[in-house]
Amino acid sequence: MPSPALPAWPPALPRASCDYLSAQATDYALAHGLVYRPVASSASELPPSDSAIHAPFSLLPSPFPRPLFEKAQAIQPTYDRLYAHVSADHRFLARVIGESVVHVDEFQKQLWDIYVAVKDELVQPLSLGLFRSDYLLHDQQSAGAAEESMGSRHGELGLKQVEFNTISASFGALCTKVSGLHRHLAQTTDYLGAHSGLADLDNLPENKAQDVLAGGLAAAHAAYVAQKQAASEAKNVYVLFVVQEGERNAFDQRPLEHALQRQGIRVVRQSFAEIADRITATEGDSSRTLYLAHPVLGRIEISVVYFRAGYGPGDYPGAAEWETRKRLELSRAIKCPSIAVQLAGAKKVQQVLAEPGELEALLPSLGSEMASADQLRETFTDLYPLDDSDLGRTGYELALNAPEHYVLKPQREGGGNNVYRRDIPGFLAQLDHGAGSVARRQAYILMSLIKPPAGLGNYLVKAATPTNPATGAVLAKDTVSELGVYGAILFETRADHKVQVHHHQAGGYLLRTKGRDSDEGGVAVGFSVIDSPFLI
Ligand code: ADP
Ligand code: MG
Ligand code: MG
């Protein structure tokens, strides 16, 4: 079934209407904790801890084809199980990560070395994945210019996966609030008649992202407690959030903590540096129960370690942080994610899954009622390795000869790491300098650029910052929206490498909107805003 055409966006709004809606929205945001810590006044300082600014958001929801939104939701359970399965499949990880990437990527090597060192010694068979699969709309017409004279602003739209996140997938709480904000404006103002479809709440789907994530953490905590012999042993057991110091996005994390606390589950927040000398797990305790000697709370037991840090090299300034990560991995606490799950989220895994036959080999073991290999493959772009395989040589040729259609990605998370279009050949030339160039290229994948539909914009509402003193809604004319779908899966990796699922809930979404001219879309760094879909 063809997806419906999207309306030109945003509808024109008189300045006074725009100002009215943006004042309503800003107060809603501040009242509901749709906030960030302000930027620190200098690079050497931490952000102030006693004030907040509202997170950047779009004034209107952005049009999104309903069938493609529903498709992204429908295939999420299969993606969740697939990545859980990959993390349990040692032979797959060894082939994809252990035999290539680790030779040229120091960060992946550190993760891999810990994974290998501890994999036969783990005492906790359960892992928690809080996943997010990200997509852009792809305009098939703009990809092949032949039909461009047809007159419509965009051709048939498809849903294409940008990446699959297995660690620190953020914005679950803040995007739930933006959906609430847009629904609130629709309910209380009808968006001042800007577009008739905005008055119908069926077009602005409710967002359960925060509940999905908190539900996963609660299920992991409950499973840990159930493993204990006696209920009395389960007192004073906390979920540990490992966070970055001076995290501006703390108010995306705190609501998960509060949701757990409402269920009687206690949470403690610590940075890698804070826990380094305070955790004990392996010494003198064969059960490897993880304890944290907290300066105020005293000695507490940890049920679940939830990483909102640790996804990039910056979180491991030295050997001490890696040692801490290893001790956490070895402990009895349930990790979110385990190192195996983090490795499964490498961009290299995404590329290999797109190779012929890979999905067909993996999907049958996931159980019944899964999406088909074809349904998943429809969401893949063209992905290439850059090794000396046939496919890798093709990728290299394309990267040098048609770079304007591609993005080059290293095995990194958190934004700002990719190389785009015409920057690719020069970047590869640098890599190619000297011996071992093919090997060095193995640390990257090449991905065809997704071409989002034209003709969409929105009013973006950002708080004033020292570098951007303007407040209120600003019209952005040419925007691109990235959809994320969440999934929470608690699973057991059995001795035969089979996966047994204990808790699984997929759903909830993130929509992030940015100007088309900004290749990377970080919300925290100010390029993009949090949005919600207006289903067409
Ligand atoms: P990260 O793990 O750092 O978030 P991503 O793979 O999500 O890395 O890339 C960062 C951003 O780059 C995405 O949010 C998207 O805006 C853009 N991007 C990534 N891949 C593509 C692609 N194939 N086509 C178009 N834009 C892309
Ligand atoms: Mg990512
Ligand atoms: Mg991303």
Side-chain angles (χ1 to χ4, degrees):
M1 193 182 67
S3 64
L6 299 178
W9 207 251
L13 269 175
R15 187 72 242 172
S17 303
C18 213
D19 289 346
Y20 176 81
L21 289 172
S22 113
Q24 298 289 320
T26 300
D27 276 5
Y28 182 99
L30 292 170
H32 288 79
L34 175 52
V35 294
Y36 271 132
R37 290 196 200 288
V39 186
S41 50
S42 79
S44 59
E45 280 172 59
L46 293 178
S49 62
D50 60 351
S51 57
I53 57 172
H54 75 78
F57 58 84
S58 64
L59 189 57
L60 274 56
S62 289
F64 201 95
R66 187 185 295 268
L68 297 180
F69 180 79
E70 285 170 356
K71 177 177 179 182
Q73 303 282 335
I75 58 179
Q76 186 64 23
T78 307
Y79 268 128
D80 294 337
R81 284 189 181 243
L82 176 65
Y83 277 85
H85 185 92
V86 163
S87 78
D89 187 340
H90 174 68
R91 278 189 305 188
F92 184 94
L93 288 181
R95 170 163 62 93
V96 173
I97 308 282
E99 287 164 21
S100 65
V101 171
V102 304
H103 298 304
V104 280
D105 185 316
E106 187 54 30
F107 180 69
Q108 293 290 321
K109 179 171 161 37
Q110 295 275 9
L111 287 173
W112 178 258
D113 285 349
I114 298 178
Y115 162 77
V116 171
V118 307
K119 91 180 173 46
D120 295 325
E121 284 183 50
L122 298 178
V123 292
Q124 179 53 265
L126 296 174
S127 321
L128 175 64
L130 295 184
F131 296 154
R132 199 188 67 222
S133 184
D134 290 339
Y135 306 90
L136 286 168
L137 291 173
H138 182 58
D139 181 352
Q140 268 125 34
Q141 176 174 294
S142 107
E147 294 166 64
E148 246 168 57
S149 57
M150 299 284 282
S152 69
R153 278 174 303 100
H154 63 78
E156 180 59 19
L157 297 177
L159 185 74
K160 293 292 180 188
Q161 188 178 48
V162 174
E163 62 154 346
F164 192 87
N165 294 288
T166 64
I167 182 164
S168 301
S170 54
F171 295 118
L174 294 187
C175 69
T176 300
K177 289 175 177 158
V178 171
S179 302
L181 162 63
H182 288 158
R183 287 170 61 88
H184 168 79
L185 289 178
Q187 259 176 323
T188 55
T189 70
D190 289 334
Y191 270 106
L192 304 176
H195 188 286
S196 58
L198 290 177
D200 182 352
L201 286 183
D202 281 348
N203 299 330
L204 310 185
E206 271 186 85
N207 196 346
K208 56 180 182 173
Q210 180 176 313
D211 290 345
V212 168
L213 300 184
L217 290 164
H221 177 84
Y224 177 92
V225 170
Q227 287 171 344
K228 296 254 128 183
Q229 301 292 323
S232 61
E233 288 182 54
K235 281 215 184 108
N236 222 24
V237 181
Y238 282 65
V239 173
L240 169 64
F241 283 23
V242 181
V243 298
Q244 293 178 335
E245 244 157 280
E247 172 65 82
R248 290 191 56 221
N249 202 13
F251 308 113
D252 183 50
Q253 302 165 350
R254 286 286 189 185
L256 299 177
E257 179 178 333
H258 300 156
L260 291 173
Q261 284 161 342
R262 282 193 292 275
Q263 301 177 50
I265 303 171
R266 294 180 178 186
V267 174
V268 59
R269 279 170 75 86
Q270 298 273 279
S271 67
F272 265 111
E274 283 171 317
I275 56 178
D277 302 328
R278 297 191 193 140
I279 50 168
T280 48
T282 45
E283 298 101 81
D285 176 5
S286 63
S287 79
R288 304 221 212 115
T289 304
L290 180 62
Y291 292 102
L292 172 70
H294 190 278
V296 176
L297 304 173
R299 186 173 187 258
I300 55 176
E301 181 177 343
I302 304 298
S303 57
V304 180
V305 183
Y306 175 40
F307 288 98
R308 291 293 291 259
Y311 51 82
D315 289 328
Y316 304 88
E321 286 76 16
W322 284 113
E323 185 55 32
T324 301
R325 182 74 194 267
K326 184 174 177 182
R327 289 163 69 203
L328 294 171
E329 190 73 6
L330 272 167
S331 79
R332 178 165 293 274
I334 298 172
K335 271 70 65 182
C336 175
S338 66
I339 291 193
V341 170
Q342 184 173 354
L343 286 168
K347 309 254 180 336
K348 182 70 193 168
V349 169
Q350 184 188 4
Q351 177 264 305
V352 170
L353 288 175
E355 287 184 20
E358 296 285 347
L359 281 181
E360 286 74 5
L362 288 166
L363 286 181
S365 46
L366 302 191
S368 56
E369 294 178 26
M370 293 291 106
S372 68
D374 286 347
Q375 283 170 310
L376 294 197
R377 189 167 288 112
E378 267 177 14
T379 67
F380 294 170
T381 55
D382 295 336
L383 287 147
Y384 298 92
L386 292 170
D387 54 18
D388 59 2
S389 66
D390 285 348
L391 198 60
R393 278 194 289 272
T394 306
Y396 189 56
E397 290 282 305
L398 290 167
L400 293 184
N401 299 323
E404 61 278 11
H405 299 301
Y406 293 95
V407 50
L408 183 74
K409 298 188 182 182
Q411 313 303 313
R412 286 289 174 279
E413 291 303 324
N417 301 299
N418 299 338
V419 182
Y420 291 88
R421 303 182 186 84
R422 291 184 194 284
D423 291 342
I424 298 173
F427 184 86
L428 285 176
Q430 256 183 338
L431 271 191
D432 285 357
H433 218 68
S437 54
V438 174
R440 279 205 296 278
R441 274 185 239 144
Q442 287 179 36
Y444 297 83
I445 63 160
L446 188 75
M447 183 175 191
S448 61
L449 281 169
I450 305 164
K451 313 256 164 76
L456 302 175
N458 210 319
Y459 302 98
L460 311 185
V461 187
K462 299 184 187 180
T465 63
T467 49
N468 174 23
T471 54
V474 174
L475 175 64
K477 285 204 172 120
D478 189 13
T479 56
V480 167
S481 297
E482 184 169 335
L483 176 73
V485 180
Y486 293 92
I489 183 164
L490 177 69
F491 64 97
E492 181 177 340
T493 302
R494 298 201 319 227
D496 58 3
H497 295 294
K498 292 253 161 54
V499 164
Q500 190 184 343
V501 176
H502 289 236
H503 164 97
H504 185 195
Q505 193 186 8
Y509 59 81
L510 165 67
L511 199 71
R512 272 175 301 180
T513 291
K514 65 177 172 97
R516 187 185 296 268
D517 46 5
S518 132
D519 279 323
E520 298 273 338
V523 175
V525 292
F527 287 129
S528 62
V529 302
I530 309 173
D531 198 345
S532 81
F534 165 35
L535 297 181
I536 301 294

